[in-house]
Amino acid sequence: MSELQITVRYFAAARAAAGIETETLRCPTGTTVHTLVEGLAQRGPELAKVLARCSFLRDGVAVRDKNVALQTTETVDVLPPFAGG
């Protein structure tokens, strides 16, 4: 089975909960944003809570369908809700 190499970048509260700013993950072919996020949420309750409120960008484009398969070398940005204006 081939693998994907996905870069995940965390912002604001997501970065605080993850404890890192960016990481590169190896994922099985067919991984979706949904399955990626489910796997990340297994790391702990704090991160899971933040991820449940986040929106995601895939190579800079807002993710509308979390069930579309990722492609190798894509970047997924994890964006918690932002306050202010």
Side-chain angles (χ1 to χ4, degrees):
M1 178 190 277
S2 61
E3 288 186 332
L4 306 176
Q5 185 170 309
I6 305 297
T7 300
V8 181
R9 298 189 305 182
Y10 302 94
F11 294 86
R15 178 176 29 212
I20 53 175
E21 185 173 326
T22 186
E23 65 181 316
T24 300
L25 303 173
R26 294 193 181 279
C27 305
T29 300
T31 296
T32 64
V33 171
H34 177 77
T35 55
L36 175 69
V37 171
E38 279 187 333
L40 295 173
Q42 297 301 313
R43 294 181 177 178
E46 173 93 12
L47 184 55
K49 182 178 174 182
V50 172
L51 290 171
R53 298 189 321 259
C54 287
S55 57
F56 304 92
L57 299 179
R58 182 176 163 184
D59 280 350
V61 178
V63 173
R64 302 280 180 232
D65 183 354
K66 293 181 184 173
N67 294 310
V68 174
L70 293 166
Q71 303 297 313
T72 196
T73 72
E74 284 188 313
T75 297
V76 175
D77 293 328
V78 181
L79 305 170
F82 292 97

